[in-house]
Amino acid sequence: MNEKAQTTDETANDEHRDIHSNGGKLWVVFLVFGLLTFGGGVGLIIWTLLQPPAEVAKFDFPKIPSKTEDTNIIYSDLTGEALAEASLKNAPTYCIQTPNGTDGARPQAGLNTAGVIFEAIAESGITRFAAIYQNPSSAVIGPIRSLRLYYLQWDTPFNCTIVHAGGADDALAAVRAGGYRDLTENYTYMYRGTYGGRLWNNLFTTASLLKQFGADRGYDSSEVTGFSHMTPEASKKARIDSLVGSKLVITAPAAGNTSELIPKVSEIGLNFGGWANFNVRYKYDVGTNKYLRSYESGAAHEVYSCPNEDLGEKNPEDVCELVQMAPSAVVAMVVSEQRAWDGYHEDITTLGSGDVYIFQNGGVTQGTWHKDDVGSQIRFQDEQGNEIKLTPGQTIVSAIPTYGSIDF
């Protein structure tokens, strides 16, 4: 083969190689073009998948506050209710002995503003109250009568000034020995009303006089050990449906309600085992979630509700208006009770344990009460041993003797 032919063949081979080389490149171009033109979506997806993963930006969404959660709310240790300001939580407390006889003691004044009220027989079947106030607001409070030892033992955990007019010998000895804050009959901080129908039940005080006593003695605070309470929200959830039959047993779904079965109860009868004049009845009011209190006769237990201002030393009949007692919770404790050594006063067992019936939110929980020593607060447990928390508001605790009865 001559050189010209050889050169021509080499040139043709080089061109052939260039065509194949360029053709490969063109094939890739056409492939990409085709993918982009006819399958653009697929091409983009493949392209995206082949890329290294991009870092995803993080965004912290703001927490949406719960309507039922407010850690800034301060609750009263006495009533479980929300307080307007934190300083009120440790304000001085006052435990006032208030009579309930038919000899001029009724209607009482300011009793509707007490946070906790203990009710028990004082003598001869006649009941008496130990009414506990914190931040008292009533222009008239009373009448004020004598002290019993068991009232003192119930009062002790509330770290209160004991307000009374004398008392049984053992109670007065315990006050002196125990170093209690003590305000007995005293006309600097108490006064006698002039309304004749009161007879000897005419000793009163006022919110202003009690606060003045605390200021004069340096009693500017109280460390209250109160009952265990539900929050207002938990109590609201624990209410029995008002449309349910009067004694239907239902499962309680609410937090803070420790009993598995809560029967709905609309009426309650507490009988102290003595005179009918001192037995009481309660009727559940659905609208207010409170218990309207009446005497066994059917007459409403009315008390004088007095203005929240200093009116001076007045008769409640002249400056106050009558309202029916209506606590948020009614506690009936079964207690061992007998006549004292003097054959007149009562001895009531306050330490140890016994049966209890707690009426609140339209239902009743049966369980036991427990008090370990004089300084400790009463604890309530259901039949499974769980703590029973009380609904916020005023609580009346009635000590029912074993020979009395609790009807519902």
Side-chain angles (χ1 to χ4, degrees):
M1 184 181 295
N2 57 34
E3 288 184 11
K4 184 176 180 179
Q6 183 178 357
T7 301
T8 301
D9 291 340
E10 289 176 355
T11 300
N13 288 336
D14 288 342
E15 289 175 354
H16 179 74
R17 284 193 296 270
D18 289 342
I19 289 172
H20 278 280
S21 175
N22 292 335
K25 293 177 181 178
L26 289 173
W27 180 85
V28 172
V29 170
F30 284 125
L31 176 61
V32 172
F33 179 78
L35 289 171
L36 291 174
T37 303
F38 301 104
V42 177
L44 287 174
I45 292 172
I46 295 173
W47 177 263
T48 303
L49 292 175
L50 292 175
Q51 301 307 305
E55 184 176 350
V56 178
K58 295 181 179 179
F59 181 75
D60 294 326
F61 290 93
K63 181 181 178 182
I64 299 175
S66 168
K67 292 182 179 179
T68 62
E69 177 184 337
D70 191 340
T71 56
N72 295 321
I73 297 177
I74 304 297
Y75 295 104
S76 166
D77 291 322
L78 182 63
T79 67
E81 296 174 306
L83 295 170
E85 54 185 83
S87 62
L88 300 177
K89 186 177 180 68
N90 298 114
T93 50
Y94 304 89
C95 297
I96 301 178
Q97 298 301 297
T98 306
N100 189 37
T102 56
D103 53 352
R106 303 173 182 177
Q108 297 86 1
L111 195 61
N112 58 308
T113 65
V116 173
I117 300 171
F118 286 94
E119 176 182 29
I121 296 174
E123 59 205 22
S124 301
I126 302 171
T127 57
R128 185 166 296 177
F129 305 113
I132 304 169
Y133 300 79
Q134 188 175 36
N135 307 301
S137 58
S138 182
V140 185
I141 301 174
I144 301 169
R145 287 293 295 270
S146 58
L147 180 67
R148 301 290 181 268
L149 182 61
Y150 40 91
Y151 291 117
L152 179 66
Q153 293 173 340
W154 288 325
D155 287 345
T156 300
F158 295 97
N159 193 210
C160 54
T161 295
I162 308 300
V163 182
H164 59 111
D169 291 341
D170 54 356
L172 297 180
V175 169
R176 290 190 294 268
Y180 289 86
R181 301 175 182 182
D182 184 28
L183 174 56
T184 190
E185 186 171 351
N186 181 305
Y187 294 105
T188 300
Y189 307 107
M190 301 178 187
Y191 64 95
R192 292 282 176 182
T194 58
Y195 179 68
R198 288 286 180 181
L199 301 176
W200 43 82
N201 291 291
N202 62 354
L203 184 63
F204 294 96
T205 187
T206 72
S208 296
L209 290 175
L210 291 175
K211 292 173 184 176
Q212 187 60 53
F213 171 79
D216 292 345
R217 297 294 193 279
Y219 302 147
D220 56 359
S221 66
S222 289
E223 297 297 326
V224 175
T225 302
F227 299 128
S228 182
H229 286 93
M230 296 181 246
T231 64
E233 187 66 26
S235 177
K236 193 178 298 183
K237 292 178 181 179
R239 287 187 56 172
I240 299 296
D241 185 346
S242 62
L243 300 178
V244 175
S246 63
K247 279 212 170 186
L248 178 64
V249 176
I250 67 173
T251 299
N257 215 333
T258 57
S259 181
E260 292 183 1
L261 297 176
I262 308 287
K264 183 181 183 298
V265 175
S266 58
E267 296 189 13
I268 309 161
L270 302 183
N271 306 310
F272 289 87
W275 295 3
N277 282 332
F278 305 101
N279 295 333
V280 292
R281 301 290 179 262
Y282 290 95
K283 186 171 184 178
Y284 178 59
D285 181 70
V286 176
T288 61
N289 195 33
K290 294 184 178 182
Y291 292 83
L292 301 174
R293 179 178 163 110
S294 301
Y295 299 110
E296 188 174 88
S297 65
H301 180 177
E302 292 185 321
V303 299
Y304 281 110
S305 179
C306 307
N308 181 13
E309 56 184 298
D310 186 0
L311 300 177
E313 300 180 355
K314 302 291 186 180
N315 296 313
E317 292 79 6
D318 298 332
V319 295
C320 311
E321 63 179 8
L322 290 170
V323 299
Q324 186 172 8
M325 286 289 289
S328 298
V330 177
V331 177
M333 296 195 310
V334 179
V335 298
S336 176
E337 182 171 344
Q338 60 187 1
R339 192 61 56 88
W341 62 271
D342 60 6
Y344 180 65
H345 295 115
E346 298 292 313
D347 275 339
I348 297 178
T349 300
T350 61
L351 306 182
S353 63
D355 293 337
V356 71
Y357 298 81
I358 297 180
F359 302 90
Q360 57 184 357
N361 293 318
V364 58
T365 305
Q366 184 176 355
T368 52
W369 63 265
H370 303 265
K371 183 172 171 65
D372 299 328
D373 53 61
V374 172
S376 64
Q377 187 54 271
I378 302 169
R379 294 173 288 110
F380 303 116
Q381 294 180 339
D382 66 18
E383 293 176 319
Q384 289 73 43
N386 302 311
E387 180 184 48
I388 303 172
K389 295 185 177 183
L390 301 182
T391 190
Q394 184 184 72
T395 297
I396 295 184
V397 182
S398 295
I400 306 298
T402 52
Y403 53 82
S405 66
I406 301 166
D407 304 322
F408 56 92

